[in-house]
Amino acid sequence: VLAGYMQDVAESMRTLQTLRLTYADMSAELANKDRILAENDATIEKLRGEERGNVLKFQQESIQQLKAQCDKIVDLNKRIQALMTQNTELESELASTRLRERELALAN
């Protein structure tokens, strides 16, 4: 009976040792996964920060480009207005010149 009891105790000790090793392995694996998760979280936060920076930079560049385009449009509009005024003046001069030519032709 004592030998059977000793075998049971030895079997229980081996089982307990196996469980301890399994627990230690699982704890190490869990710690490793926690470390990887923390690294991934840090990487995600870093990327989010970079993305926010990129979006802000893109927004600022877009605003600058739009302002530059608006300035060009304003300048072009001013040039068009000046050319239209000049065109009106030239058409008026042309009409006046043609009228004088007709008057001279009629006088001759």
Side-chain angles (χ1 to χ4, degrees):
V1 172
L2 184 59
Y5 177 74
M6 291 302 284
Q7 282 181 340
D8 287 346
V9 168
E11 182 70 27
S12 293
M13 293 298 282
R14 283 192 296 272
T15 302
L16 183 58
Q17 183 65 23
T18 302
L19 288 174
R20 284 183 181 159
L21 290 174
T22 302
Y23 176 77
D25 290 342
M26 288 182 166
S27 293
E29 185 177 341
L30 181 60
N32 187 42
K33 288 182 178 180
D34 284 343
R35 180 188 56 77
I36 291 170
L37 184 59
E39 289 172 0
N40 287 342
D41 286 345
T43 300
I44 288 170
E45 283 306 311
K46 178 185 171 191
L47 292 173
R48 283 182 180 157
E50 289 174 2
E51 183 180 10
R52 281 189 293 273
N54 290 340
V55 167
L56 182 60
K57 181 180 176 184
F58 175 76
Q59 183 182 25
Q60 290 170 343
E61 288 173 354
S62 296
I63 289 170
Q64 288 175 347
Q65 288 175 357
L66 287 172
K67 285 182 180 179
Q69 289 175 352
C70 285
D71 290 344
K72 285 181 183 179
I73 290 171
V74 168
D75 288 343
L76 288 173
N77 188 43
K78 287 178 183 177
R79 289 168 68 188
I80 289 171
Q81 292 298 324
L83 289 172
M84 288 176 68
T85 300
Q86 185 180 11
N87 185 47
T88 302
E89 291 170 357
L90 290 173
E91 285 178 346
S92 177
E93 282 183 40
L94 179 61
S96 177
T97 302
R98 287 184 179 162
L99 181 62
R100 274 186 259 134
E101 286 177 349
R102 284 186 192 145
E103 288 173 352
L104 285 174
L106 288 176
N108 289 335

